[in-house]
Amino acid sequence: MEPFEPTIVAFCCHYCAYTAADMAGSMRLTYPPNVKIIRVPCSGKVDAIHIMKALEKGADGVLVAGCLEGDCHFKNGNVKALQRVTYLKRFLEEIGIEPERVQMVTMSAGMGIRFAKIATEFTEKTRELGPSPVKAGDRMEPCAKAS
Amino acid sequence: MITAERKPMGEIMESIDGCGRILLVGCNECVTVCAAGGRKEVALLASALQMASMKKGRVLDVREMTLERQCDPEYVEELAPHIGQVDAVLSMACGCGVQEIARRFKTTRVFPALNTKFMGASEGPGIWAERCQGCGDCLLGITGGICPIARCAKRLMNGPCGGSSNGRCEISDDVDCAWHLIWERMKELGIEDRYEDVISAKDWRAGRGGGPRRIVREDLE
């Protein structure tokens, strides 16, 4: 059996985390290729449904990466993102999915090292959690026939 | 607006247990405004149900629809082409919407995904509070625009009880004393003298005391 390699979706704010990821690249820092970056105009743009769909479609973990507190380009998008992530974690718990699979992180555009560190640590943590239980759906059967 | 909250996921999943295809129906009115059953919440619940099923290694076919109003037969009719293809309907409307679907589609099971709470107003982002109990005989004109029926825990009609303390109700520090609010508002309006006007015993038959109510407007029939 092949070792488990988690798929991580990272919603990265254009003004900080996305640039930080770019910076990590420029600095020749390595971070796991498991992390698939989606650039968003602000972490506040990330809705609960985006995170849910990422998990539903096969992500084992989702990172929402926004600006440091007080530094949001749109005033408080990062604070709103954190509130949504917190709400969603409770929702995931209700359906039996580990809330640790979703995490909100903050950084500035210059923190390439921090981005690489978070990407590595989160990938490691998700690897420890194992494949998303949703992936049991890979061998799915219909619930029941429609009458 | 009518406010509502999503039921616990365990209860929702139990209600549709055994169903292979469900029609998840939201409503564009009150429950959209209170972020309980609009298009967004329908998408979120559909995804959650899908994941909960996939976790068990099964596929649940969830079809999403959000009607303009679930409490109006004209809009509920839009479900007709889809209803025969599903095992059950899961409604994200208030109780009125759920019942309207049940009335129209007599052989289809309908389950509520929300708990309907109260008629309320928004006090800020994400906060809604009860404001009206639909008593059928509005008193707001003589109580300074603050309802003692909806906002006083004891529904007192003539001033506060002994549990009023520093403007708060004895049931909780988070609850304003309605009669304190009424007094403050009357002072602002300069009509304190009316505070001691005795409100006569209320005829509760205009409200739920008279049984289920109807409004018939012959000019509109």
Side-chain angles (χ1 to χ4, degrees):
Chain A
M1 199 172 138
E2 282 180 36
F4 165 60
E5 279 303 328
T7 302
I8 313 283
V9 172
F11 292 100
C12 295
C13 161
H14 165 78
Y15 293 95
C16 54
Y18 188 78
T19 314
D22 204 14
M23 171 83 71
S26 306
M27 293 169 78
R28 303 287 183 264
L29 298 172
T30 54
Y31 62 87
N34 310 56
V35 180
K36 321 288 182 202
I37 293 175
I38 296 176
R39 183 171 64 157
V40 288
C42 173
S43 58
K45 181 67 195 164
V46 182
D47 202 285
I49 191 66
H50 299 134
I51 303 171
M52 287 293 271
K53 282 289 170 193
L55 292 169
E56 186 189 327
K57 301 290 177 192
D60 298 293
V62 176
L63 272 176
V64 179
C67 301
L68 296 169
E69 205 178 319
D71 282 354
C72 175
H73 194 78
F74 300 98
K75 205 171 161 190
N76 58 0
N78 51 355
V79 176
K80 288 182 175 167
L82 176 60
Q83 287 171 334
R84 282 179 205 148
V85 167
T86 308
Y87 168 81
L88 197 80
K89 278 169 169 271
R90 286 200 298 267
F91 196 19
L92 289 175
E93 221 168 352
E94 273 194 83
I95 56 172
I97 292 171
E98 304 91 334
E100 298 82 18
R101 292 188 184 275
V102 181
Q103 195 181 327
M104 169 86 196
V105 293
T106 57
M107 66 194 71
S108 77
M111 294 178 166
I113 298 172
R114 179 168 163 80
F115 181 87
K117 186 168 175 276
I118 285 173
T120 309
E121 285 174 0
F122 188 69
T123 304
E124 201 42 56
K125 200 172 85 179
T126 310
R127 188 176 282 123
E128 278 168 27
L129 285 171
S132 161
V134 172
K135 284 187 173 162
D138 289 348
R139 27 171 218 284
M140 291 177 291
E141 304 160 7
C143 278
K145 275 199 171 168
S147 50
Chain B
M1 87 187 99
I2 295 174
T3 59
E5 274 182 326
R6 178 177 52 79
K7 281 180 176 286
M9 284 304 293
E11 188 182 339
I12 295 174
M13 290 188 290
E14 198 179 323
S15 68
I16 58 163
D17 192 32
C19 296
R21 281 184 197 156
I22 61 157
L23 186 57
L24 183 57
V25 189
C27 177
N28 259 342
E29 294 285 345
C30 315
V31 290
T32 292
V33 183
C34 67
R39 202 178 302 271
K40 243 183 179 182
E41 292 74 32
V42 165
L44 207 57
L45 181 59
S47 186
L49 290 171
Q50 201 66 264
M51 281 204 266
S53 293
M54 287 159 88
K55 194 171 165 260
K56 293 178 193 162
R58 291 183 297 200
V59 190
L60 179 65
D61 184 355
V62 186
R63 300 174 183 196
E64 301 170 37
M65 266 187 98
T66 301
L67 303 180
E68 198 55 39
R69 270 198 297 283
Q70 247 185 73
C71 54
D72 260 338
E74 290 88 339
Y75 297 110
V76 170
E77 200 56 37
E78 291 172 21
L79 301 178
H82 310 278
I83 218 86
Q85 301 161 22
V86 296
D87 298 322
V89 174
L90 188 57
S91 167
M92 292 195 86
C94 68
C96 308
V98 180
Q99 291 184 64
E100 195 48 37
I101 294 177
R103 188 194 64 79
R104 169 62 183 84
F105 303 107
K106 294 192 169 24
T107 55
T108 306
R109 289 180 297 165
V110 187
F111 301 108
L114 304 183
N115 287 324
T116 308
K117 307 294 272 195
F118 49 78
M119 281 189 274
S122 171
E123 286 189 342
I127 305 168
W128 295 273
E130 187 157 22
R131 291 285 182 271
C132 179
Q133 290 203 341
C135 72
D137 184 15
C138 192
L139 290 169
L140 290 168
I142 54 172
T143 57
I146 291 149
C147 181
I149 298 165
R151 303 185 66 178
C152 168
K154 292 175 177 170
R155 304 185 193 187
L156 295 180
M157 295 294 169
N158 290 287
C161 68
S164 177
S165 170
N166 299 318
R168 300 289 171 177
C169 175
E170 65 184 339
I171 63 163
S172 164
D173 282 344
D174 296 331
V175 178
D176 290 317
C177 167
W179 276 100
H180 181 87
L181 294 176
I182 292 170
W183 169 246
E184 292 297 326
R185 174 95 167 114
M186 283 183 159
K187 274 201 296 186
E188 277 175 34
L189 294 170
I191 54 168
E192 301 101 302
D193 53 316
R194 295 207 204 152
Y195 184 78
E196 291 192 10
D197 289 352
V198 175
I199 299 175
S200 55
K202 189 168 171 62
D203 182 355
W204 293 102
R205 286 174 301 180
R208 278 288 299 151
R213 295 167 281 173
R214 291 176 85 205
I215 295 174
V216 179
R217 278 275 303 269
E218 285 163 4
D219 58 320
L220 297 175
E221 277 188 293

